[in-house]
């Protein structure tokens, strides 16, 4: 039987289709960069654009073409923030005959950790998992495969884009201004390492997978190459400087940048490097696995 997990994020919509009866876990994974958070107005009303429906129509067309029998859909930060979420839920149910489950930051952290942990040979190792989204950033502390603490920060690539309104060349002063803002939010969150001493830091997000794809000069995205890629903060700073000095259109010419990511990638890298500095880490691992795989483990493959 085929099943599908759908993650509707503030920036990207993702879908994973898997044959849960197959021993080799035949699967199909794809995404659409929608930038839905840009359509949340100053009163927190979410005005659904055509690209929202176009992306969902495409997702559900592929699901129906693959004879998927079981579907689980989650929505994250942008839906949590919207004041008109109830009418959005009704509209979704009417159009697609599925329930859209708006999940809490805690459930989002749990699903992310389940997905990332499936990558590791030794999942019991201590780690900090960071998921930089469009509207929020989850920082998850794990020890012995258990979440011992998590933080949900009002930091995201779309949220920063709406605040600073820059998509092309970022001046040194603009980067410094954004970085100081990010640093202030992180510091005010009073993040404590608790009992974690020796740990890996793993980034699960479009920001980190894009960085890995650029680093590997990938013309075509390949999750097998991306997963567990190890990047240094030195190389990440180099990529930040290179991308900040290009226009959005120029960024799209680079291998590893997907359409829709070119406008917000600089914001994501600023969040990532500031978090690395906060934890005084020089290396990080990249995960392409997260909420989608977590949905299968928690809600589907049971």
């Amino acid at each position: 039987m085929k099943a599908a997990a759908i993650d509707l994020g503030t920036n990207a919509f993702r879908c994973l289709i898997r044959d849960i009866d197959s021993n080799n876990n035949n699967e199909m994974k794809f995404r659409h960069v929608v930038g839905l958070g840009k359509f949340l107005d100053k009163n927190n009303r979410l005005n659904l654009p055509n690209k929202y429906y176009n992306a969902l129509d495409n997702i559900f067309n592929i699901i129906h073409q693959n004879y998927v029998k079981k579907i689980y859909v989650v929505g994250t930060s942008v839906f949590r923030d919207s004041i008109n979420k109830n009418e959005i839920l009704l509209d979704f149910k009417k159009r697609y005959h599925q329930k859209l489950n708006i999940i809490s930051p805690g459930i989002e952290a749990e699903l992310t950790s389940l997905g990332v942990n499936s990558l590791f040979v030794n999942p019991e190792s201590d780690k900090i998992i960071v998921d930089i989204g469009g509207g929020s950033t989850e920082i998850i502390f794990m020890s012995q495969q258990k979440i011992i603490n998590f933080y949900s920060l009002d930091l995201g690539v779309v949220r920063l884009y709406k605040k600073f309104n820059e998509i092309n060349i970022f001046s040194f002063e603009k980067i410094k201004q954004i970085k100081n803002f990010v640093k202030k939010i992180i510091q005010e969150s009073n993040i404590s390492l608790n009992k974690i001493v020796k740990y890996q830091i793993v980034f699960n997000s479009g920001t980190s997978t894009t960085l890995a794809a650029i680093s590997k000069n990938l013309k075509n995205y390949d999750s097998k190459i991306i997963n567990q890629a190890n990047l240094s903060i030195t190389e990440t700073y180099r990529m930040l400087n290179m991308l900040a000095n290009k226009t959005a259109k120029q960024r799209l010419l680079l291998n590893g940048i997907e359409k829709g990511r070119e406008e917000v990638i600089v914001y994501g890298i600023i969040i990532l490097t500031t978090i690395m500095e906060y934890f005084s880490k020089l290396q990080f691992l990249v995960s392409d696995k997260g909420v989608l795989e977590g949905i299968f483990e928690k809600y589907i493959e049971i």
Side-chain angles (χ1 to χ4, degrees):
M1 181 183 78
K2 288 186 178 179
I6 303 172
D7 171 20
L8 306 183
T10 304
N11 192 46
F13 290 4
R14 298 176 174 86
C15 179
L16 172 62
I17 299 173
R18 182 182 286 173
D19 186 346
I20 58 178
D21 295 326
S22 171
N23 290 329
N24 59 1
N25 267 351
N26 288 332
E27 61 182 40
M28 175 194 305
K29 195 174 187 180
F30 57 96
R31 65 188 172 204
H32 295 273
V33 179
V34 177
L36 189 60
K38 296 175 184 177
F39 301 92
L40 193 68
D41 68 22
K42 63 182 180 180
N43 297 315
N44 277 354
R45 182 174 183 82
L46 183 56
N47 302 295
L48 300 175
N50 287 335
K51 60 170 63 177
Y52 165 86
Y53 292 107
N54 292 340
L56 288 175
D57 289 348
N58 180 264
I59 289 170
F60 280 100
N61 283 339
I62 293 173
I63 281 174
H64 295 321
Q65 289 166 12
N66 282 273
Y67 304 103
V68 172
K69 300 297 184 185
K70 192 171 185 178
I71 302 167
Y72 199 90
V73 190
V74 302
T76 55
S77 175
V78 69
F79 297 98
R80 291 195 293 263
D81 290 347
S82 63
I83 61 168
N84 57 322
K85 59 174 70 71
N86 288 337
E87 63 186 74
I88 291 172
L89 293 176
L90 289 172
D91 175 67
F92 188 90
K93 179 75 172 178
K94 182 178 178 181
R95 284 174 179 263
Y96 302 108
H97 310 291
Q98 295 292 328
K99 181 182 179 183
L100 168 54
N101 301 278
I102 300 177
I103 57 175
S104 67
I107 294 295
E108 186 174 357
E110 180 187 3
L111 295 176
T112 298
S113 65
L114 286 171
V116 171
N117 246 10
S118 67
L119 262 184
F120 290 86
V121 175
N122 179 18
E124 294 187 357
S125 63
D126 289 356
K127 60 184 72 70
I128 294 177
I129 300 169
V130 184
D131 187 356
I132 302 170
S136 66
T137 292
E138 273 61 52
I139 301 178
I140 307 153
F141 292 75
M142 293 203 71
S143 182
Q144 301 295 310
Q145 297 192 65
K146 293 181 179 179
I147 296 176
I148 59 172
N149 209 349
F150 85 92
Y151 300 82
S152 184
L153 281 56
D154 286 335
L155 278 177
V157 295
V158 176
R159 199 180 287 270
L160 288 182
Y161 161 81
K162 290 178 70 176
K163 180 174 179 62
F164 293 98
N165 199 30
E166 182 61 80
I167 62 170
N168 290 307
I169 294 174
F170 289 70
S171 67
F172 175 79
E173 285 303 319
K174 177 66 78 173
I175 291 176
K176 186 177 178 182
Q177 182 185 6
I178 299 167
K179 194 172 188 67
N180 285 339
F181 176 79
V182 171
K183 189 181 295 185
K184 184 172 183 287
I185 289 182
I186 294 172
Q187 289 172 342
E188 288 176 349
S189 299
N190 294 318
I191 298 170
S192 169
L193 283 172
N194 294 320
K195 297 177 182 178
I196 291 185
V197 180
K198 187 177 181 180
Y199 61 90
Q200 295 173 299
I201 187 163
V202 186
F203 282 88
N204 158 253
S205 64
T207 295
S208 59
T209 57
T210 299
L211 284 170
I214 294 171
S215 174
K216 306 294 184 183
N217 197 31
L218 295 182
K219 285 187 177 180
N220 298 307
Y221 189 87
D222 187 341
S223 61
K224 292 177 183 174
I225 296 174
I226 296 298
N227 275 323
Q228 295 199 58
N230 196 323
L231 297 182
S232 70
I233 194 167
T234 303
E235 183 181 7
T236 305
Y237 278 132
R238 180 185 63 77
M239 287 188 275
L240 171 59
N241 291 332
M242 180 264 293
L243 292 167
N245 283 292
K246 293 183 182 293
T247 65
K249 286 184 178 179
Q250 288 171 335
R251 290 181 205 124
L252 264 182
L253 300 176
L254 297 170
N255 289 339
I257 297 271
E258 64 180 322
K259 178 67 178 170
R261 191 77 63 186
E262 76 279 6
E263 295 184 350
V264 296
I265 184 62
V266 172
Y267 295 108
I269 302 173
I270 292 172
I271 295 172
L272 186 151
T273 52
T274 308
I275 290 172
M276 289 284 288
E277 290 168 7
Y278 184 85
F279 290 116
S280 301
K281 301 296 274 188
L282 300 178
Q283 304 276 337
F284 65 92
L285 289 175
V286 177
S287 169
D288 178 60
K289 297 191 175 187
V291 169
L292 292 175
E293 288 78 10
I295 289 171
F296 267 90
E297 190 162 334
K298 184 175 177 66
Y299 297 116
I300 296 177
E301 294 178 340
I302 55 177

